[in-house]
Amino acid sequence: MSDDNLVKMANQIAHYFDSEPDRATAVQGVRQHLKSFWTPAMLRQLGEWIERHPGDGVDEKVKEALS
């Protein structure tokens, strides 16, 4: 899968939780979704992309969920 698609999908997941008033709950929701529905290869690819592009285009909740 392309990096652009992974970033887009991860951000869509994070934005789903934007209405959650408790940030920790929102991050946990993102984390649980990624764990449940993404393959290890997808997670690895997204993590590598984030390392190459720190602060560029990935919602902070996604970064927290992956750490």
Side-chain angles (χ1 to χ4, degrees), residues 28-47:
Q28 181 58 33
V30 173
R31 182 179 294 120
Q32 186 59 48
H33 182 93
L34 294 174
K35 180 181 175 185
S36 296
F37 300 106
W38 283 41
T39 67
M42 292 168 70
L43 294 171
R44 185 172 43 256
Q45 185 178 346
L46 179 61

Side-chain angles (χ1 to χ4, degrees), residues 8-27:
K8 179 180 176 182
M9 290 182 351
N11 283 336
Q12 287 173 332
I13 295 163
H15 294 312
Y16 175 83
F17 291 97
D18 281 348
S19 63
E20 172 57 56
D22 181 54
R23 183 167 181 83
T25 301
V27 170

